[in-house]
Amino acid sequence: MILTGQVGVAGHLTIGDNVIATAQSGIPSDVEPEKSFRLPRMDNASWLKCAAIYMRLPEMHATLRKLAKQVEKGTAP
């Protein structure tokens, strides 16, 4: 088990082997082995995907607005 900075753990829990709780996570209940999560609680693979997308959000938002305008005008591709 690895608990990084500012992880809060409720009392009397079972935390499985190879669990990684990253910074500022909270562990309110038992955790199965081989899990990694953050706050909000999600597995590490999902978090990495979200982090990769996050930096592209302004560009994605602009594209979405442009497409929405095209749909309203009936000129969408």
Side-chain angles (χ1 to χ4, degrees):
M1 162 181 47
I2 298 173
L3 304 178
T4 61
Q6 296 181 336
V7 173
V9 181
H12 306 289
L13 299 180
T14 300
I15 300 176
D17 292 335
N18 299 317
V19 169
I20 301 171
T22 58
Q24 298 182 344
S25 296
I27 303 177
S29 59
D30 294 345
V31 180
E32 296 177 24
E34 306 288 333
K35 293 288 182 179
S36 177
F37 59 89
R38 293 165 165 71
L39 186 63
R41 190 170 177 172
M42 65 173 50
D43 64 80
N44 197 50
S46 295
W47 177 261
L48 291 173
K49 288 177 186 176
C50 290
I53 292 169
Y54 182 76
M55 295 301 291
R56 295 180 34 224
L57 284 178
E59 173 191 337
M60 294 168 69
H61 183 254
T63 301
L64 181 60
R65 290 182 73 190
K66 180 180 175 183
L67 289 171
K69 287 180 182 179
Q70 289 178 353
V71 168
E72 285 178 14
K73 292 179 182 179
T75 59

